[in-house]
Amino acid sequence: MKKTILALALIATASTAYARDNIVSVGSSTVFPFSTIAAEKFKQNSGTNVIIESTGTGGGMKMFCAGVGVEHPDMTGASRAMKDKEAVNCAANGVEFEEVIIGYDGITVSNSISAERVNFTKEQLFIAVTDTSKKKWSDIDPSLPNYPISIMLPPPTSGTRDAFVELVMHSACKKAGMDTKSAECNNVREDGAVIIMGENDNLLVEKLVTDDKMFGVFGFSFMDNNRDKVQGSMIEGVAPEFESIADGSYKVSRPLFVYYKTAHMGVIPGLAEFKDFYTNMVADVDGPIVAAGLIPLQ
C-alpha cells in the first residue's frame, strides 16, 4: 500500500506533464483483437489513444503486476483468471486491480479446411500430446486419421495453453482417476509430435494452410475469423460454434478477462472512460466485438 501511495503522489504532483496521454494495455493474444476493436472505436469517439500489445496472458500479468506508475501498463487482457502467485506478485508491488469478465471463448483444435474434419474426445487429445508410444492418430483409435500426430500448442505463458491443460488434459486425467497435479497430467511430449509455438496465431494458421496433416490449438474467435482457411475439430461430437459455446454444449470453453489497475483510474487520462466504453461494447450483441467472435455474457 505504501508503494501505491508513493507512486500516486509522484504522478499527481507532476500533473499532466508527467502522466501519459495514452492508455497502455498488454496481455492475451485471444483478447487482443477484441481490445483492439474497442480501442479503435474509443479513439474515434474521444481522441484518446489506447495502445494494445499482445504479450500473452502470462507475460501480460507479469508486466501488469510489476508496479504502479506511468512506466507500467494500465490494464491487461487474460484468457484465464489471474493465478494466486500472480495476485501475490501484484500485492507485493502495491498493485490493486479490478477484474472484469468480458465474455467467453472456446478452445479449438483446428486444421486446414482442405483436410477431413475430425471428431476427438478429450482422452484422445490427452494421449496424443503425452504418450510418445503413439506415433499416428490411428494408433490412439482406428477411427482417427492414419497419419503422424502433429499438433501445435501455445507456449506455457499463454492463457490458451493453460485452458487446454485444464479443460482437456486435466479433464481426461480426472476421468482416469489420475492426480491432476502430477507431471503426466501437465507436461507434453518432447519427441516432435507436439510443436510449441509463440503467441502469433496468424503463424499457426499459415502452417495449417501449408500442411493439411497438422493441427493447431487456438481460440474460437480466431478460427471463426479464418473460416476460409481453417476449421475447428469436433470435441466429443460437438463442433465449436457460437451457439454451442454460448449454451455450454461445447465443453472446451473458458471466460475471458480484462484487469484494470485501480490506482491508475482518474490519473491516466481516459482510462476510467475506456473501461466503461469497453464494458458496454462487449455487452452489445449486435456490435463489432461480438461479430468478431466474442461469445457475450448471458
Side-chain angles (χ1 to χ4, degrees):
M1 182 59 71
K2 289 182 179 179
K3 291 182 179 180
T4 302
I5 294 172
L6 176 59
L8 283 172
L10 287 172
I11 296 174
T13 54
S15 189
T16 55
Y18 184 75
R20 279 190 269 102
D21 60 359
N22 53 42
I23 298 165
V24 176
S25 174
V26 294
S28 166
S29 63
T30 300
V31 177
F32 173 79
F34 307 135
S35 297
T36 298
I37 292 170
E40 291 171 350
K41 295 293 184 182
F42 186 69
K43 185 174 183 179
Q44 291 173 8
N45 289 357
S46 68
T48 300
N49 190 36
V50 185
I51 300 170
I52 312 292
E53 298 180 33
S54 178
T55 64
T57 295
M61 287 295 183
K62 184 176 181 180
M63 297 168 69
F64 180 79
C65 290
V68 174
V70 293
E71 69 273 28
H72 301 290
D74 309 304
M75 52 186 285
T76 188
S79 52
R80 56 159 172 78
M82 181 181 286
K83 296 179 179 179
D84 290 343
K85 64 181 180 181
E86 292 166 340
V88 169
N89 187 36
C90 267
N93 291 314
V95 176
E96 297 178 355
F97 56 85
E98 179 180 357
E99 176 189 270
V100 176
I101 298 177
I102 62 169
Y104 296 92
D105 186 38
I107 303 295
T108 72
V109 181
S110 295
N111 64 345
S112 169
I113 58 170
S114 65
E116 65 175 301
R117 193 176 205 181
V118 182
N119 179 24
F120 293 113
T121 66
K122 293 182 181 181
E123 290 76 20
Q124 289 168 346
L125 289 170
F126 172 70
I127 293 169
V129 300
T130 59
D131 189 346
T132 56
S133 72
K134 308 300 183 184
K135 304 302 182 183
K136 296 181 178 181
W137 292 102
S138 54
D139 292 339
I140 300 172
D141 190 291
S143 67
L144 296 179
N146 187 33
Y147 50 73
I149 296 169
S150 182
I151 182 168
M152 296 180 289
L153 291 183
T157 54
S158 168
T160 299
R161 170 71 169 270
D162 288 334
F164 180 82
V165 170
E166 178 183 352
L167 298 172
V168 175
M169 297 176 66
H170 286 182
S171 177
C173 281
K174 287 177 183 178
K175 191 171 182 178
M178 300 166 63
D179 181 2
T180 57
K181 294 182 179 180
S182 67
E184 188 176 0
C185 291
N186 291 275
N187 297 338
V188 298
R189 59 197 294 179
E190 298 180 350
D191 61 347
V194 175
I195 304 157
I196 307 303
M197 302 295 291
E199 297 286 356
N200 186 346
D201 289 339
N202 288 300
L203 182 58
L204 270 71
V205 169
E206 290 176 13
K207 288 186 175 295
L208 295 180
V209 169
T210 58
D211 186 349
D212 63 6
K213 292 181 174 58
M214 180 177 282
F215 293 84
V217 175
F218 43 79
F220 164 78
S221 59
F222 197 78
M223 183 277 292
D224 190 48
N225 284 297
N226 287 276
R227 284 183 184 268
D228 59 328
K229 301 174 183 177
V230 297
Q231 60 187 345
S233 303
M234 292 182 286
I235 306 294
E236 297 175 353
V238 181
E241 297 293 349
F242 188 98
E243 295 77 13
S244 61
I245 296 171
D247 66 20
S249 57
Y250 184 74
K251 299 302 183 181
V252 192
S253 60
R254 39 80 189 275
L256 301 177
F257 304 84
V258 174
Y259 292 83
Y260 297 90
K261 199 164 290 182
T262 55
H264 287 200
M265 293 291 179
V267 179
I268 299 299
L271 179 60
E273 292 78 8
F274 180 66
K275 172 181 167 292
D276 292 339
F277 184 84
Y278 197 171
T279 300
N280 289 332
M281 280 198 73
V282 298
D284 181 4
V285 295
D286 297 316
I289 292 182
V290 173
L294 180 72
I295 312 300
L297 298 172
Q298 300 297 307

